[in-house]
Amino acid sequence: MAIDAEKKAKVLKYRWVVFVTLAIAYFFVYFHRTTGGAISGEMQDWFSITKSEVGMLASAYLWAYTLMQIPSGILTDKMGPRKAATIFILLLAAGSVLCAISSLETIKSYPLMWVGKFIIGIGAAVIYIPIMKVLAVWFRKNEFASMSGVLLLVGNVGGIAAATPMVMLIQNLGFADTYFILTGITVVIGILTWLFVRNHPNEMDLPGIEEIVSEETGEPIKESTSAKMGTKEALKLTFTSGRKFWPLAIWFFFMYGTIMLWQASQAGSFYKDIGGLPSDTYAMFITMVGVGMVIGCPLAGRLSDKVLKSRKKVIIIGTIVYTLVWAVIWLTGDNADFVSNTTYQYILNFCFGFFGGFFVVSYAQIKELYPIAMAGTSTAALNLFPFAGGALLALISGPIVEATSFKTLWMAAFIMMVVASVCAILSVEKQRD
């Protein structure tokens, strides 16, 4: 039976309302995740803390995010993206309030700031997975990687805002007022999510995307976007699937873990200690990581969907070049002249973000290997590993630097990425038509 043209047009139009609303929320997910790198110097000064304690603030968010990955997939599949995202966006706002209170001149509580970061991490964890579910339900399969790239573009604009703009806000308003402003913005986003996001087109009496694709291609519907699967079955299918899951999981642990090690944890302290640079200068370097990702993420998605038509090839290319960037960071890590050279550092950080951003394609790769009914659970299972990597590396990075040197830490990151490159080669992908 032919689909009503007006209803089809409404699906293809309204999905952008759903996506844009959640993408705005994701801007702040990434913003909170990456603030640590650029403001690490300010954190040390304001709270009178060590590099290790700065790393622990970054790891608080990342540990919470990691612990919530499996629950986030289950909650998304059971509650639906709309309800799950709304509740946890508001929880993110609650964490921002605690960060604001902890930063007041009369309080200056590092433990309370840590708790606030942890709660922010819990809230942020149940935003990304609902968006992945929305992409799986509202968009065509051959649009998924490209849309994931667009989402990461938005997120990394948040990463850019978390560098120089965040430093400027803190310098002019202070930590407390900055976090109070973030709280208000986050509450508004939570309200917009509840008002505009819908779990599935059928909630608006509209056809599912699989029906539209079937009409466009003349092929029968192979899988319904409204299908359901039990949690235990979905988890078992994911974790017992051998090479379909584990090489990609290990790759992501090191790939994203080393991104967070640099961008969200130790880069600012490195530039301050080795290069002797002021915060406004090295914040601009770290901003280039976000700029690189803003360009690299959507490009990687496009390459995957339309050019190479392969998830795995794009991941391998990005991983190998990103590993070479780490080799440069390691080999020049004790050269103060190189570290303080603005031209080199702008280029280095841009390449770091550009090729690091190729990780976005992994979500399309994992999604296609499992039934859509478990899209939330399988994606969350994979997402457990990058944030575990980020949390662990942020936690141990400070003690490693204090016991040895930054160069030792960078060498370890390079070795991790060599292992990740091997895992990327060993990963598998679904053959595309």
Side-chain angles (χ1 to χ4, degrees):
M1 185 174 69
I3 296 175
D4 181 270
E6 187 176 338
K7 288 189 174 184
K8 175 181 176 179
K10 189 170 183 179
V11 171
L12 298 180
K13 183 179 180 180
Y14 195 79
R15 64 183 184 163
W16 290 103
V17 175
V18 177
F19 175 77
V20 169
T21 302
L22 289 173
I24 293 171
Y26 189 66
F27 173 98
F28 288 97
V29 168
Y30 215 94
F31 177 91
H32 282 288
R33 184 184 307 163
T34 55
T35 53
I39 65 172
S40 56
E42 276 76 10
M43 282 282 189
Q44 283 182 256
D45 294 340
W46 185 253
F47 289 100
S48 300
I49 55 178
T50 65
K51 295 182 184 67
S52 296
E53 288 170 318
V54 170
M56 288 178 67
L57 282 178
S59 71
Y61 174 108
L62 294 167
W63 277 121
Y65 206 102
T66 301
L67 293 172
M68 284 300 296
Q69 283 312 296
I70 298 301
S72 73
I74 295 170
L75 289 169
T76 299
D77 285 338
K78 296 296 184 183
M79 299 170 61
R82 181 194 184 204
K83 188 174 183 180
T86 299
I87 291 172
F88 284 87
I89 288 170
L90 295 177
L91 186 62
L92 193 158
S96 296
V97 169
L98 286 182
C99 288
I101 294 171
S102 73
S103 305
L104 291 170
E105 180 73 42
T106 54
I107 296 178
K108 282 191 180 182
S109 172
Y110 170 80
L112 188 59
M113 171 64 83
W114 191 96
V115 173
K117 291 278 189 179
F118 190 85
I119 293 174
I120 287 174
I122 292 175
V126 194
I127 297 173
Y128 184 75
I129 299 304
I131 300 175
M132 291 293 99
K133 185 77 170 185
V134 161
L135 292 184
V137 169
W138 284 85
F139 290 84
R140 300 174 180 90
K141 288 184 179 180
N142 64 358
E143 296 172 323
F144 188 91
S146 295
M147 291 306 301
S148 297
V150 173
L151 178 67
L152 266 294
L153 181 157
V154 174
N156 280 286
V157 173
I160 292 171
T164 301
M166 182 64 167
V167 169
M168 293 175 65
L169 277 173
I170 289 172
Q171 289 176 344
N172 287 280
L173 301 177
F175 279 101
D177 286 349
T178 297
Y179 275 104
F180 278 128
I181 291 171
L182 291 173
T183 299
I185 294 172
T186 307
V187 170
V188 171
I189 294 170
I191 294 170
L192 293 175
T193 299
W194 183 256
L195 292 175
F196 294 114
V197 172
R198 294 296 179 269
N199 299 322
H200 194 280
N202 63 21
E203 294 182 358
M204 303 171 65
D205 193 29
L206 298 173
I209 195 69
E210 74 276 19
E211 298 173 64
I212 293 174
V213 171
S214 177
E215 184 186 61
E216 291 173 342
T217 63
E219 297 179 358
I221 297 173
K222 298 178 182 179
E223 187 179 11
S224 172
T225 54
S226 58
K228 302 291 183 181
M229 179 182 290
T231 300
K232 289 183 179 180
E233 181 183 358
L235 289 172
K236 182 178 179 181
L237 184 59
T238 301
F239 287 110
T240 61
S241 53
R243 274 189 63 192
K244 283 174 65 176
F245 181 77
W246 287 105
L248 205 57
I250 297 169
W251 161 83
F252 218 170
F253 180 94
F254 292 123
M255 181 79 175
Y256 200 73
T258 54
I259 290 174
M260 290 293 97
L261 170 66
W262 179 262
Q263 187 184 23
S265 182
Q266 294 298 329
S269 296
F270 169 64
Y271 284 123
K272 180 180 179 182
D273 291 0
I274 305 301
L277 300 171
S279 61
D280 55 348
T281 299
Y282 63 68
M284 287 300 298
F285 294 163
I286 302 168
T287 297
M288 294 306 294
V289 175
V291 172
M293 284 193 174
V294 162
I295 299 172
C297 287
L299 177 62
R302 185 73 177 176
L303 285 173
S304 173
D305 279 339
K306 305 298 182 181
V307 181
L308 297 178
K309 296 184 178 180
S310 167
R311 317 306 190 188
K312 182 176 176 178
K313 289 178 182 177
V314 174
I315 285 175
I316 290 173
I317 292 169
T319 302
I320 290 174
V321 181
Y322 173 79
T323 301
L324 294 176
V325 173
W326 266 116
V328 174
I329 294 173
W330 163 42
L331 294 173
T332 60
D334 57 355
N335 186 326
D337 291 336
F338 187 88
V339 172
S340 60
N341 187 300
T342 56
T343 300
Y344 284 131
Q345 293 305 321
Y346 280 133
I347 294 172
L348 187 70
N349 280 276
F350 177 85
C351 290
F352 185 102
F354 182 87
F355 291 102
F358 278 37
F359 76 80
V360 66
V361 175
S362 63
Y363 294 108
Q365 184 170 339
I366 198 74
K367 181 189 76 72
E368 292 172 352
L369 292 172
Y370 300 96
I372 200 168
M374 53 179 285
T377 302
S378 61
T379 304
L382 177 66
N383 224 28
L384 176 71
F385 290 85
F387 293 99
L392 181 61
L393 295 185
L395 183 64
I396 67 175
S397 60
I400 288 175
V401 171
E402 289 168 356
T404 57
S405 66
F406 277 109
K407 190 169 183 179
T408 300
L409 181 63
W410 305 153
M411 178 184 68
F414 169 70
I415 293 171
M416 292 175 201
M417 284 313 305
V418 171
V419 174
S421 297
V422 174
C423 290
I425 294 169
L426 292 175
S427 71
V428 299
E429 68 176 331
K430 183 179 180 179
Q431 294 302 310
R432 305 179 69 193
D433 298 330

